Amino acid sequence: MLEDRTIVIVGAGHAGVQLAASLREEGHEGRITLVSDDPRLPYQRPPLSKAFMKREAEADALILRGPGFYEQKRIDLRLGATARSIDRAAKRLILASGESIPYSRLVLATGGLARPFKVPGAEFAGVHVLRDMGDAEALRDRLENSRGVVVIGAGFIGLEFAAVAARSGLKTTIVEVAPRVMGRAVSPAISDFYAGAHRGFGAEVLLGAGVAAIDGADGKARGVTLGDGRVLPAAFVVVGVGVVARDGLAREAGLDCPNGVRVDALMTTNDPDIFAIGDVALHPNAWGEREMRLESVQNATDQARALARTLTGKPTPYAALPWFWSDQGDLKLQMVGLMDMADTFVTRGDPASRAFSVFGFRAGRLVGVESVNKPADHMIARKLIPAGAALTPVQAADTGFDLKALAKAAG
């Protein structure tokens, strides 16, 4: 039985906290140690670029579990503790403090880091990323005391921040080297709609524009020079060019890390006593039909729940349907499935109404749906896709076709 074994979890984001909670729910009675290098109580990160940035929610409202939860569930929460190395032979996690924590099973839930942006001037003060509470606090202060910002990168984080900045009255310029916004994650129709929406929010959107340098004076950022020589003045710069797996600890321990920590369907690494979940885990995805890392709360929490069952003697392969969301201005984008697999796209509803969906099909099979301000479409899609419902592109595009009835019939 595994109940008497010590489980050490490195990382206290959504994945790590959910795993600790789920282990107790699944009956694990052994010791659980949750190690976090952040001194704060574990908190939600998605609201940092949205509600927190707009002061609609303060830090206390973002706490994942109250302090009493960890004591009640007998979870040894180590805050401000940085994991330095893993001694696989001795089965010990070594902290930067020198403390050595023994484990029977070790779980890496270390998440991701902002992708480094290597251009001249990237080191200037006033060049920001947005990954944690400290980043968000610094940027929120900037919003209230600055006139203009250049946002480099038109992914989810960059656009979410840009929407807040533009609507706060800052002169906002979004610079994206790719030909469309959110290009790696959404359909062309959604990209086009959101580029137009951000211009409507008051931002300037520059696509196909590379950055040559970040300009500065006295060690402080003052603007951005583009590859074509254009200069964009700014009081500060936000860089959002993607996320890389925080897998250094695993790499140094000799684990397989081609792009994140490689795991099998049970979230096991090439060391049978070490597992990985969440943003850092390169896993075989049943829906994507390939290995991938998914950076989402859904992925983190569902992998945690599956692993908790596995670690308590009920092997459970991870096979959850991916879904995501992004709030930008007054637009809520909800996505389910993997649209990068689609070869055919159809739009249901009128984008001009600011409430519509895009359905993606591969060889006639529904593989993903993106919904803008259409939560009902999103919830129906979360039933249709796993059921393998027989929906055609023509039916999906027809607003008179009853999707709800189809979902009910599909079970």
Side-chain angles (χ1 to χ4, degrees):
M1 298 294 288
L2 297 177
E3 283 75 14
D4 61 343
R5 296 184 176 180
T6 298
I7 297 176
V8 176
I9 306 165
V10 184
H14 286 274
V17 171
Q18 183 63 58
L19 176 60
S22 293
L23 282 168
R24 291 299 186 219
E25 292 168 3
E26 295 293 342
H28 178 74
E29 294 296 334
R31 185 177 181 86
I32 299 174
T33 300
L34 181 59
V35 177
S36 173
D37 59 5
D38 196 315
R40 300 172 174 85
L41 276 173
Y43 55 88
Q44 304 173 60
R45 297 201 178 203
L48 294 178
S49 58
K50 301 179 276 285
F52 181 81
M53 199 61 57
K54 293 185 287 186
R55 293 193 179 275
E56 294 175 356
E58 294 302 321
D60 289 349
L62 306 188
I63 292 174
L64 282 167
R65 306 272 184 164
F69 168 81
Y70 302 97
E71 181 178 358
Q72 178 188 2
K73 298 298 183 181
R74 294 177 292 112
I75 297 167
D76 180 15
L77 176 62
R78 306 286 191 92
L79 297 176
T82 300
R84 186 183 69 198
S85 62
I86 302 167
D87 185 336
R88 290 170 56 189
K91 297 182 70 170
R92 287 180 172 273
L93 177 72
I94 314 302
L95 302 184
S97 65
E99 182 183 358
S100 172
I101 304 176
Y103 65 83
S104 297
R105 298 289 188 268
L106 177 68
V107 182
L108 303 176
T110 47
L113 298 168
R115 183 181 297 280
F117 190 57
K118 298 178 180 179
V119 299
E123 75 283 357
F124 285 139
V127 178
H128 298 261
V129 297
L130 178 49
R131 285 297 295 167
D132 60 26
M133 183 71 74
D135 297 333
E137 289 172 339
L139 280 172
R140 196 164 71 167
D141 289 342
R142 284 282 193 172
L143 280 176
E144 296 173 352
N145 297 289
S146 302
R147 292 185 178 181
V149 59
V150 172
V151 178
I152 302 173
F156 293 121
I157 294 296
L159 292 182
E160 287 168 359
F161 176 80
V164 175
R167 290 193 152 201
S168 297
L170 274 71
K171 176 176 172 52
T172 304
T173 304
I174 301 165
V175 178
E176 171 57 53
V177 69
R180 57 190 183 93
V181 306
M182 301 181 289
R184 290 177 293 178
V186 302
S187 66
I190 292 292
S191 288
D192 291 346
F193 173 79
Y194 270 88
H198 278 271
R199 291 181 177 112
F201 296 155
E204 183 178 10
V205 181
L206 304 179
L207 301 176
V211 173
I214 296 174
D215 307 322
D218 301 322
K220 298 179 181 179
R222 290 290 182 264
V224 171
T225 296
L226 302 183
D228 62 7
R230 281 179 291 174
V231 176
L232 309 174
F236 66 106
V237 177
V238 176
V239 177
V241 293
V243 174
V244 294
R246 192 177 183 187
D247 58 7
L249 185 67
R251 286 178 182 275
E252 292 173 8
L255 299 179
D256 190 9
C257 300
N259 171 26
V261 184
R262 174 175 274 151
V263 296
D264 62 17
L266 294 176
M267 314 312 295
T268 313
T269 70
N270 55 301
D271 183 321
D273 294 320
I274 302 181
F275 305 79
I277 55 175
D279 291 9
V280 78
L282 178 67
H283 66 280
N285 189 275
W287 300 95
E289 301 175 3
R290 63 188 186 277
E291 284 187 323
M292 61 174 59
R293 288 193 310 107
L294 289 176
E295 297 158 6
S296 73
V297 172
Q298 169 273 321
N299 179 68
T301 54
D302 283 348
Q303 284 184 348
R305 293 186 181 102
L307 180 57
R309 291 182 57 81
T310 294
L311 293 178
T312 52
K314 303 174 284 285
T316 304
Y318 176 67
L321 177 67
W323 54 269
F324 319 82
W325 80 92
S326 176
D327 293 325
Q328 299 174 33
D330 61 340
L331 303 169
K332 177 176 282 294
L333 173 61
Q334 294 172 288
M335 299 154 283
V336 59
L338 296 167
M339 290 293 268
D340 65 351
M341 296 181 64
D343 54 37
T344 301
F345 302 96
V346 297
T347 300
R348 182 182 179 90
D350 182 5
S353 71
R354 301 173 75 80
F356 68 101
S357 295
V358 175
F359 286 63
F361 294 81
R362 181 184 183 188
R365 177 174 63 90
L366 183 66
V367 295
V369 177
E370 303 159 331
S371 300
V372 178
N373 291 345
K374 291 288 284 187
D377 283 1
H378 174 73
M379 295 308 297
I380 289 170
R382 284 170 60 175
K383 296 178 181 178
L384 292 175
I385 295 174
L391 178 70
T392 69
V394 171
Q395 290 169 332
D398 180 3
T399 56
F401 182 79
D402 193 341
L403 291 176
K404 186 175 181 180
L406 179 64
K408 185 176 181 179

